[in-house]
């Protein structure tokens, strides 16, 4: 009898939940256009995201073509409003009191890194940004140029072999950028190889975080159980945790030996802010030990994954455009920076001569514009408002379609905006709208590492060209998209040639 009652109640609950969810998905008169969502999955299933048949940048561009500059996208059970015009981005980014960072920016990522800067809002975000931002400004970064070129030289000598077709350069780019962030941010040479245990640990970290991000309907308690009993994730977590503890301990030992020295690296700033009594009522009170650990993990993840993706896209675009590679090398020769016949001499790169390489700057800019590293950024409405005649309720999630804007022909007039053409910045696109290229987002929640990403990417690209490297296209080099946290080239296969001066 009891079992019959239990089964009956269970069925009743399931039916009621189904009816409730069905009602949630019923279209309303004031809804923006979009595709009818699937219960539980929203549009993640019928848009091909969950099946890995498509990526967010492809889906958002397709939806804009079908529905216009304003439409809705159901991220699981979350009805998100998507805006695709520069004017939309400007209104959202400029109103920090109405639009704040949304938890859907990285869904469920707080299960992995709850105190990372990307997860925070309000006073806690201000407390963390006060510690992190000074070390990520350009004035601090340019002094690390020698470290970036050193890591790029190691990348060239270790992974690039003349005449061979390279099919695993994305993984090699990850090793390069992880080594850079180790030296610049943490004063530690990670010396990571393609198969290094610590690199594999971070890749496992990304895999499991992506898995939970793509299932936003999963109850949090179930996500915690999954992570708690997943051996692969637990191994990765232990390795990452040990690395963070090691970095903090090493810096504490340095600071105990040298007192009253101003922080010169990110880890030095983090450790000098250590205060177990830190609180949000005093934004200058520093960070506690747990918060520092999460910021170490967040900075390594953000510092290597996004830049390595963009560098891989540069290799792809360069292989398809040999004239661009040649013009970069011609510019280096004009400034007497190209390698010579003497194998023991290579002109040094300095912040000044790097800044003088304008065409190389345009190539870097074009890669950042065209590479769909981040397809969109998110905001959540903190109060009721109206944007372009669209009523937005408090708590509503907003998507700003970054890649759509970056490739919109209404804002880019020299050549097809979907084509890789660095010369556009020498022509009518020289004075493009500042928000027509928003790879790093905008407003007060723009990416805090954008100065580092710009400088590191340009320095690495210039060093590759300076060393006389040419990336050549192959039949296997078909590109396409593969997406985890970032969107990277699916099929990257190039032949490498070394030029003599």
């Amino acid at each position: 009898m009891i079992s019959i009652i239990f089964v009956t109640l269970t069925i009743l609950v399931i039916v009621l939940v189904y009816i409730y969810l069905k009602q949630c998905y019923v279209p309303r008169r004031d809804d923006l256009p979009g595709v009818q969502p699937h219960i539980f999955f929203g549009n993640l299933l019928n848009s091909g995201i969950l099946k890995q048949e498509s990526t967010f940048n492809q889906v958002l561009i397709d939806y804009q073509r079908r529905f216009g500059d304003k439409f809705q996208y159901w991220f699981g059970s979350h009805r998100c409003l998507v805006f695709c015009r520069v004017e939309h981005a400007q209104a959202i980014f400029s109103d920090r009191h109405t639009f704040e960072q949304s938890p859907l920016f990285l869904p469920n990522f707080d299960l992995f890194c709850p105190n990372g800067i990307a997860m925070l809002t309000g006073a806690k975000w201000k407390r963390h940004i006060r510690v992190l931002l000074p070390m990520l400004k350009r004035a601090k970064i340019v002094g690390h140029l020698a470290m970036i070129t050193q890591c790029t030289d190691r990348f060239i000598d270790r992974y690039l072999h003349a005449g061979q077709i390279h099919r695993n350069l994305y993984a090699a780019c990850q090793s390069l950028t992880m080594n850079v962030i180790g030296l610049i941010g943490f004063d530690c040479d990670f010396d990571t190889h393609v198969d290094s245990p610590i690199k594999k640990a971070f890749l496992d970290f990304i895999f499991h975080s992506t898995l939970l991000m793509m299932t936003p309907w999963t109850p949090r308690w179930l996500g915690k159980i999954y992570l708690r009993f997943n051996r692969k994730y637990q191994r990765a977590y232990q390795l990452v945790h040990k690395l963070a503890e090691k970095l903090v301990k090493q810096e504490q030992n340095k600071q105990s030996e040298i007192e009253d020295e101003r922080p010169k690296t990110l880890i030095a700033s983090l450790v000098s802010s250590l205060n177990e009594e830190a609180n949000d009522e005093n934004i200058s009170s520093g960070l506690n030990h747990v918060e520092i650990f999460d910021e170490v993990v967040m900075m390594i993840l953000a510092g290597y994954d996004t830049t390595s993706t963009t560098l891989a896209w540069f290799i792809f675009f360069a292989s398809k455009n040999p004239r661009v590679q040649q013009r970069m090398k011609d510019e280096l020769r004009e400034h007497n920076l190209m390698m010579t016949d003497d194998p023991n001499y290579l002109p040094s790169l300095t912040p000044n001569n790097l800044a003088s390489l304008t065409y190389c700057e345009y190539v870097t800019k074009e890669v950042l514009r065209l590479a769909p590293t981040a397809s969109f950024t998110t905001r959540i409405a903190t109060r009721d408002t109206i944007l372009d005649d669209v009523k937005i309720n408090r708590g509503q999630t907003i998507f700003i379609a970054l890649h759509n804007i970056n490739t919109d022909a209404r804002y880019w007039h020299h050549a097809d905006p979907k084509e890789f053409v660095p010369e556009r910045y020498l022509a009518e696109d020289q004075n493009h709208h500042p928000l027509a290229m928003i790879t790093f987002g905008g407003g007060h929640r723009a990416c805090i590492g954008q100065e580092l990403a710009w400088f590191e990417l340009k320095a690495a690209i210039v060093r590759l060209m300076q060393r006389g490297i040419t990336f050549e296209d192959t039949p296997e080099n078909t590109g396409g998209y593969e997406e985890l946290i970032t969107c990277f080239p699916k099929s990257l296969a190039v032949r490498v040639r070394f030029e003599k001066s």
Side-chain angles (χ1 to χ4, degrees):
M1 184 65 182
I2 295 177
S3 60
I4 294 175
I5 294 174
F6 176 77
V7 170
T8 304
L9 289 174
T10 301
I11 294 173
L12 181 61
V13 168
I14 292 173
V15 170
L16 290 174
V17 169
Y18 177 82
I19 293 172
Y20 170 75
L21 291 173
K22 193 75 173 175
Q23 284 297 115
C24 290
Y25 288 105
V26 171
R28 293 171 289 187
R29 283 187 302 173
D30 59 345
D31 275 355
L32 288 176
V35 174
Q36 178 66 32
H38 185 285
I39 291 182
F40 298 116
F41 303 111
N43 293 135
L44 290 171
L45 185 62
N46 55 27
S47 65
I49 298 292
L50 282 184
K51 298 177 182 178
Q52 295 185 328
E53 296 173 347
S54 190
T55 58
F56 276 111
N57 71 293
Q58 294 171 298
V59 169
L60 295 184
I61 286 175
D62 176 55
Y63 276 34
Q64 183 184 16
R65 178 183 56 81
R66 294 165 62 185
F67 304 118
D69 295 326
K70 302 172 290 185
F71 54 88
Q72 65 182 22
Y73 183 88
W74 287 83
F75 198 101
S77 59
H78 302 276
R79 187 174 75 95
C80 305
L81 307 182
V82 186
F83 293 92
C84 303
R85 288 184 64 88
V86 158
E87 294 78 9
H88 297 148
Q90 192 164 22
I92 293 168
F93 291 150
S94 62
D95 191 353
R96 63 187 300 172
H97 299 294
T98 302
F99 299 102
E100 182 53 275
Q101 186 82 297
S102 168
L104 277 184
F105 176 65
L106 292 170
N108 289 324
F109 197 77
D110 57 333
L111 291 174
F112 303 84
C113 202
N115 299 292
I117 187 72
M119 301 292 101
L120 309 179
T121 58
K124 191 169 185 178
W125 173 80
K126 292 178 181 178
R127 182 160 55 84
H128 283 240
I129 202 75
R130 188 182 180 92
V131 175
L132 296 170
L133 190 57
M135 295 297 109
L136 294 170
K137 290 186 175 179
R138 188 174 181 84
K140 292 283 186 182
I141 292 166
V142 294
H144 297 298
L145 177 57
M147 292 182 182
I148 298 173
T149 55
Q150 172 192 332
C151 291
T152 308
D153 285 339
R154 182 190 294 173
F155 165 81
I156 294 169
D157 298 335
R158 183 177 286 170
Y159 299 114
L160 302 186
H161 307 291
Q164 293 186 13
I165 295 179
H166 295 70
R167 300 177 178 84
N168 198 29
L169 282 184
Y170 176 55
C173 288
Q174 289 177 318
S175 299
L176 163 59
T177 54
M178 184 174 284
N179 289 333
V180 170
I181 195 64
L183 287 168
I184 290 179
F186 302 98
D187 196 22
C188 180
D189 188 356
F190 293 163
D191 191 22
T192 52
H193 300 255
V194 169
D195 297 320
S196 295
I198 191 61
K199 184 186 168 194
K200 285 185 174 180
F202 273 101
L203 291 177
D204 286 340
F205 215 72
I206 289 173
F207 172 80
H208 288 96
S209 60
T210 303
L211 184 64
L212 289 183
M213 282 192 286
M214 289 297 102
T215 54
W217 58 86
T218 302
R220 293 181 61 79
W221 59 267
L222 189 58
K224 291 179 180 179
I225 291 174
Y226 168 78
L227 295 177
R228 176 67 182 84
F229 292 99
N230 187 293
R231 292 183 180 179
K232 197 172 183 180
Y233 169 75
Q234 286 299 324
R235 273 198 308 270
Y237 178 83
Q238 292 301 324
L239 275 173
V240 172
H241 191 278
K242 286 179 181 177
L243 174 63
E245 291 289 348
K246 174 186 173 184
L247 295 173
V248 171
K249 189 66 177 177
Q250 286 177 347
E251 184 59 35
Q252 285 176 323
N253 293 336
K254 290 179 186 177
Q255 293 188 11
S256 66
E257 295 172 3
I258 305 174
E259 297 181 359
D260 301 325
E261 183 179 59
R262 296 185 67 179
K264 296 180 181 178
T265 62
L266 189 59
I267 189 65
S269 183
L270 286 167
V271 170
S272 62
S273 75
L274 181 59
N275 177 14
E276 296 301 342
E277 303 301 321
N279 63 84
D280 297 337
E281 294 179 3
N282 179 7
I283 62 172
S284 61
S285 61
L287 309 180
N288 62 42
H289 191 270
V290 173
E291 291 172 331
I292 288 176
F293 164 70
D294 280 5
E295 291 297 10
V296 169
V297 175
M298 177 64 77
M299 290 299 108
I300 295 176
L301 276 173
Y304 96 85
D305 192 43
T306 54
T307 313
S308 62
T309 298
T310 313
L311 187 58
W313 279 113
F314 162 73
I315 293 172
F316 176 77
F317 292 135
S319 69
K320 298 291 184 181
N321 297 274
R323 61 169 184 81
V324 171
Q325 297 184 73
Q326 188 57 52
R327 186 163 179 176
M328 293 176 72
K329 292 169 185 173
D330 290 342
E331 184 177 54
L332 283 162
R333 288 189 182 95
E334 290 171 10
H335 290 79
N336 298 315
L337 291 173
M338 199 64 183
M339 64 182 295
T340 67
D341 290 325
D342 184 355
N344 297 315
Y345 174 71
L346 185 64
S348 297
L349 288 177
T350 67
N352 286 337
N353 61 35
L354 187 66
S356 69
L357 301 171
T358 54
Y359 186 74
C360 292
E361 177 83 8
Y362 296 151
V363 171
T364 307
K365 190 172 184 178
E366 187 72 343
V367 174
L368 287 166
R369 182 188 71 84
L370 206 52
T373 307
S375 305
F376 61 89
T377 189
T378 66
R379 296 292 186 269
I380 190 169
T382 58
R383 57 189 178 189
D384 294 346
T385 188
I386 295 176
L387 176 61
D388 193 12
D389 298 326
V390 177
K391 183 180 178 182
I392 301 174
N393 298 319
R394 182 176 180 272
Q396 179 72 62
T397 296
I398 309 298
F399 283 6
I400 302 100
L402 303 182
H403 192 62
N404 295 45
I405 294 174
N406 286 357
T407 57
D408 195 322
R410 291 172 293 187
Y411 314 119
W412 301 96
H413 309 292
H414 180 80
D416 185 346
K418 293 181 173 60
E419 296 294 326
F420 185 79
V421 185
E423 289 78 10
R424 71 176 67 252
Y425 304 105
L426 295 167
E428 55 263 52
D429 289 335
Q430 183 177 17
N431 298 313
H432 64 81
H433 192 289
L435 288 181
M437 179 182 165
I438 45 176
T439 302
F440 299 102
H444 73 295
R445 293 309 299 262
C447 173
I448 65 170
Q450 59 181 296
E451 291 286 356
L452 172 58
W454 263 102
F455 189 77
E456 179 186 351
L457 185 62
K458 183 180 179 182
I461 287 173
V462 168
R463 192 63 164 187
L464 288 167
M465 296 297 101
Q466 189 188 24
R467 290 278 301 267
I469 291 168
T470 298
F471 297 105
E472 297 180 336
D473 197 13
T474 70
E476 301 172 60
N477 192 38
T478 55
Y481 304 106
E482 191 163 341
E483 192 167 46
L484 290 174
I485 291 180
T486 59
C487 187
F488 51 92
K490 184 175 184 179
S491 298
L492 177 63
V494 298
R495 182 177 282 106
V496 171
R497 179 166 57 85
F498 286 84
E499 296 181 7
K500 294 182 179 180
S501 64

